[in-house]
Amino acid sequence: MSTGATPPRLVVEDLVAGYGDTPVLNGIGLTVDAGEIVAVLGATGSGKSTLLRCIVALLRPEQGRVLIGGRDVHGGRDERDEILRGVGLAFQDAALLNSMTTAENVALPIIEHWGADEDTALMLARMRLARVGLARAGDKMPSELSGGMRKRAGIARAIALDPALLLLDEPSAGLDPTTARAIDELILDLRARTDMAIVAVTHEIASIDTIADRAVMLAEGRMIASGTLAEVHGSTDPRVQAFFERRLVDDGASSGLVGELEWKT
Amino acid sequence: MTSAPIHVPVPKVLAAGSFRALRRELARHPTGAPVILDCHEFESADALAVARLLRIIAEGRAAGHDVRLAHLDDAARRALADVDPAILEQDTVPRRHPLEVVGTQAIEAAATAGQVRRLAGATVAGLTRPFGAEGIKWDRALRQMALIGVEAVPIVVFISLLVGVVLALNGATQLRQFGASIFIANLVAISTTREMGPLLTAVIVSGRTGSAIAAEIGSMVISEEVDAMHTMALNPVRFLVVPKVLALILMMPLLTVMSNLAGITGGYAVGVLGLDLGSDAYLSQTVQSLFMSDVTTGLVKSVVFGVIIGLVGAHRGFAVRGGPEAVGRAATSAVVTSIIACIVANAGFTALFYYTE
Ligand SMILES: Nc1ncnc2c1ncn2[C@@H]1O[C@H](COP(=O)(O)OP(=O)(O)OP(=O)(O)O)[C@@H](O)[C@H]1O
Ligand SMILES: [Mg+2]
């Protein structure tokens, strides 16, 4: 979809990252063009959130690059802030500012980066909240919302500035099926209307099949599958198959201790 | 040298007593020969017993034994099947060499100094840009002034008044012997404006505000609010630190003035009501004894104390990692550190003025 002139919205190159001595990601590569929706799959603890943290420069990778619109996010502070104005991230746990109402949370980036006056920004914030089904929750404090409502408010804040790149960390986890379905429709609608590039971390197979053009799957910090949805579905890797068939995989690590310890005569 | 394996039976019930006995027995054996823990009686349904068995294996290995298990039943096999072999290595905590501890602490101290310097730089950058899109958040600063300044007035006045009374009473017992009671006015005025006023205010504001800053920022760190600000390209220092430091810079001198007035009032009350010194005499003695420089010195110090309290609190807050108890520790440490830093800075000021006057 990208022409020769416009760089892809997101390029992740050979990313290696971790926390202190704990390696988490090892050689992740990913390209997302405008108008594309890419699902990031992987078991819990496989490093999906860590990948998003690297993309928005909350975590500095030990190796590799992250380019957004062709510019290096880890380049420098001012450059990073400029790039991030075009990026929305909905955190797994929403991460709303607890000292502000929900509407004020969504209005904050609008006031700061678009220079809107407070009342106009709050109006737009309510429009964003309405899109995630929270038209009436604007005046509530984050602590007065349910977990699912907070998560949706986080999505509203992430789309506040019509970002060119939207990152969603498990947008429909913990939501009832109807609301989850509505979030999927919102994602498709955003792509249709604004040509947003979207990366969605998700476990919901139904959601993946509905929204994703492509998918990557992480396991133990590596990409074990990547490609179109059909390609990933057809992967021969047992861990990928197990994911789509909702099976537990025996990764061979188990029973290591018994084997190691048993005395055989 | 391959010596014959040593068989050690594991009792059916590995309770606290038999656990200790088994450990002692294992410790008696020389290393080199494989030690086989015979589990044919062992009751693996008890999860705590399995954990004890694993601890014995880990300790044995750490001591150099080649520890193995024999005659595992199916239940024991299942209980161990999910265990990651790495657990056995994690069991032994390596002791650190004292030099390593000192070295690590020195490195940490240097890192802390660097962090505080960067935070101070970012705060100054924020303070020197009063207006515009990237400017000071005046609404937040005003709210902080009310919180930090106005709300602290009663306690500052109350405590300073009492300290003024105590100063005067203590001075009175001494000065009366020389018939020099009127000099209580000098004692109270000078010690209050130069030292007690700024320091008392700093201690009170550390306790009230330094801890609050650390707790607020710390809890925002653990709930990822600070991360969220970064990803929205919002500078947390501009939102969270600059308004507070600005409020401290403006409010500390005002609180100090109130503390000075309250302290002098305390001394006045003792002088006039307790020692019959006469209101006019006491007041004119006070005015005569005070130089403008005493007052301004105190006020300059109070501004510095305000900056210290704000930066230490913010630094402790941003450094929070972990959970709620880390927030509590940050608040405590902010108070302790900023009081120490203020007293050290005060000593520095006093020395400086002593040698330059
Ligand atoms: N702040 C941190 N410090 C140290 N290790 C961390 C930190 N955050 C995550 N990890 C580790 O990094 C690994 C990957 O975590 P991450 O949150 O990226 O997983 P995830 O794929 O998002 O999982 P989930 O589906 O449960 O959200 C985990 O093993 C976790 O223990
Ligand atoms: Mg996650």
Side-chain angles (χ1 to χ4, degrees):
Chain A
M1 216 174 269
S2 72
T3 63
T6 48
R9 291 276 167 85
L10 172 67
V11 178
V12 175
E13 275 176 12
D14 190 30
L15 201 70
V16 178
Y19 302 93
D21 293 336
T22 331
V24 176
L25 298 175
N26 195 347
I28 306 296
L30 182 66
T31 302
V32 187
D33 280 314
E36 241 188 340
I37 302 176
V38 175
V40 177
L41 323 177
T44 169
S46 59
K48 306 180 297 293
S49 300
T50 305
L51 174 61
L52 297 188
R53 293 177 73 82
C54 285
I55 294 175
V56 296
L58 285 175
L59 187 66
R60 179 169 275 282
E62 283 145 37
Q63 236 185 70
R65 291 198 302 171
V66 176
L67 305 177
I68 295 176
R71 301 161 74 188
D72 189 347
V73 198
H74 298 277
R77 212 199 140 94
D78 293 340
E79 169 119 13
R80 179 196 71 195
D81 281 354
E82 223 178 290
I83 298 169
L84 287 180
R85 283 172 206 198
V87 179
L89 167 60
F91 283 75
Q92 191 166 359
D93 299 319
L96 300 172
L97 304 188
N98 287 314
S99 56
M100 299 180 176
T101 66
T102 308
E104 283 168 353
N105 261 284
V106 181
L108 181 65
I110 302 170
I111 295 170
E112 291 298 321
H113 294 320
W114 280 358
D117 65 87
E118 195 167 328
D119 290 338
T120 313
L122 281 171
M123 187 62 72
L124 179 50
R126 283 172 207 286
M127 288 165 57
R128 302 299 195 206
L129 284 169
R131 295 205 69 185
V132 295
L134 290 180
R136 285 159 206 283
D139 292 328
K140 291 208 160 94
M141 299 303 279
S143 58
E144 297 166 336
L145 301 180
S146 76
M149 289 163 91
R150 267 202 291 277
K151 181 151 249 171
R152 283 182 282 155
I155 298 173
R157 184 177 67 180
I159 61 171
L161 300 180
D162 285 328
L165 173 65
L166 177 64
L167 310 166
L168 302 167
D169 200 343
E170 304 195 10
S172 45
L175 300 185
D176 65 82
T178 318
T179 315
R181 175 88 211 155
I183 296 290
D184 285 348
E185 266 152 30
L186 168 72
I187 294 171
L188 290 171
D189 184 50
L190 286 170
R191 187 254 301 268
R193 280 209 232 175
T194 62
D195 221 22
M196 231 176 242
I198 300 172
V199 177
V201 169
T202 176
H203 295 297
E204 313 291 320
I205 294 175
S207 165
I208 299 163
D209 290 338
T210 316
I211 62 170
D213 304 311
R214 289 191 298 125
V216 297
M217 183 152 180
L218 308 183
E220 284 144 39
R222 296 182 177 277
M223 288 204 303
I224 55 167
S226 150
T228 64
L229 210 52
E231 282 165 359
V232 173
H233 264 293
S235 162
T236 52
D237 190 300
R239 289 167 294 185
V240 181
Q241 290 175 348
F243 176 81
F244 284 110
E245 290 161 24
R246 298 179 172 283
R247 272 191 290 111
L248 269 175
V249 259
D250 186 359
D251 59 4
S254 295
S255 76
L257 187 66
V258 180
E260 190 178 322
L261 290 176
E262 208 157 3
W263 177 258
K264 294 194 182 71
T265 39
Chain B
M1 171 188 89
T2 47
S3 3
I6 305 159
H7 276 265
V8 180
V10 179
K12 180 169 191 260
V13 180
L14 202 49
S18 44
F19 171 55
R20 267 196 306 274
L22 193 56
R23 283 166 86 186
R24 265 199 307 274
E25 170 157 11
L26 205 61
R28 263 205 313 275
H29 290 298
T31 56
V35 176
I36 298 165
L37 298 176
D38 190 335
C39 298
H40 83 267
E41 282 197 336
F42 177 56
E43 220 20 282
S44 64
D46 178 359
L48 188 54
V50 174
R52 284 180 173 136
L53 182 64
L54 287 175
R55 235 171 92 52
I56 289 170
I57 298 168
E59 279 177 359
R61 283 190 169 186
H65 290 296
D66 174 16
V67 188
R68 302 299 186 88
L69 301 175
H71 302 123
L72 286 174
D73 62 9
D74 281 348
R77 215 181 293 268
R78 265 199 306 279
L80 293 174
D82 299 332
V83 178
D84 185 341
I87 285 180
L88 291 181
E89 266 91 68
Q90 288 168 3
D91 193 63
T92 46
V93 184
R95 290 234 179 281
R96 295 202 299 167
H97 192 274
L99 266 182
E100 191 190 335
V101 175
V102 173
T104 315
Q105 282 173 354
I107 291 168
E108 273 165 16
T112 302
Q115 287 161 8
V116 173
R117 207 163 43 234
R118 271 196 300 281
L119 181 62
T123 307
V124 170
L127 285 170
T128 48
R129 211 179 312 160
F131 304 108
E134 297 280 293
I136 290 173
K137 308 290 299 176
W138 286 100
D139 52 333
R140 282 171 177 259
L142 272 176
R143 211 163 44 232
Q144 291 297 326
M145 284 180 213
L147 224 58
I148 294 171
V150 180
E151 289 186 11
V153 169
I155 180 167
V156 166
V157 167
F158 175 67
I159 289 187
S160 304
L161 192 75
L162 283 188
V163 170
V165 168
V166 170
L167 263 179
L169 286 176
N170 277 298
T173 49
Q174 297 296 316
L175 291 170
R176 212 168 17 199
Q177 297 172 18
F178 308 103
S181 297
I182 189 66
F183 287 106
I184 286 169
N186 300 44
L187 171 74
V188 171
I190 291 174
S191 56
T192 299
T193 52
R194 285 195 127 181
E195 304 290 343
M196 296 312 287
L199 261 187
L200 275 180
T201 310
V203 169
I204 293 166
V205 173
S206 288
R208 267 180 49 87
T209 303
S211 57
I213 293 174
E216 181 188 332
I217 295 179
S219 61
M220 291 183 73
V221 167
I222 60 172
S223 60
E224 291 187 301
E225 292 177 53
V226 172
D227 285 346
M229 297 181 92
H230 278 297
T231 55
M232 289 190 283
L234 303 176
N235 180 354
V237 173
R238 184 166 81 91
F239 277 81
L240 304 177
V241 185
V242 171
K244 295 186 170 76
V245 171
L246 179 65
L248 281 164
I249 288 175
L250 296 176
M251 289 297 122
M252 280 295 287
L254 293 181
L255 287 173
T256 302
V257 167
M258 302 214 186
S259 168
N260 291 346
L261 290 176
I264 289 172
T265 307
Y268 171 87
V270 172
V272 175
L273 302 177
L275 304 170
D276 290 329
L277 286 174
S279 171
D280 289 347
Y282 191 96
L283 287 179
S284 69
Q285 186 72 20
T286 299
V287 171
Q288 272 171 38
S289 69
L290 274 181
F291 290 99
M292 201 56 207
S293 67
D294 294 328
V295 180
T296 50
T297 308
L299 297 186
V300 168
K301 287 201 289 194
S302 75
V303 171
V304 174
F305 296 162
V307 172
I308 290 174
I309 293 166
L311 289 181
V312 168
H315 174 259
R316 289 293 193 258
F318 282 122
V320 165
R321 295 290 175 273
E325 98 287 350
V327 175
R329 264 187 278 123
T332 308
S333 141
V335 176
V336 174
T337 311
S338 58
I339 288 179
I340 293 173
C342 286
I343 288 175
V344 170
N346 186 56
F349 272 117
T350 305
L352 186 74
F353 295 137
Y354 180 82
Y355 288 111
T356 53
E357 260 166 25

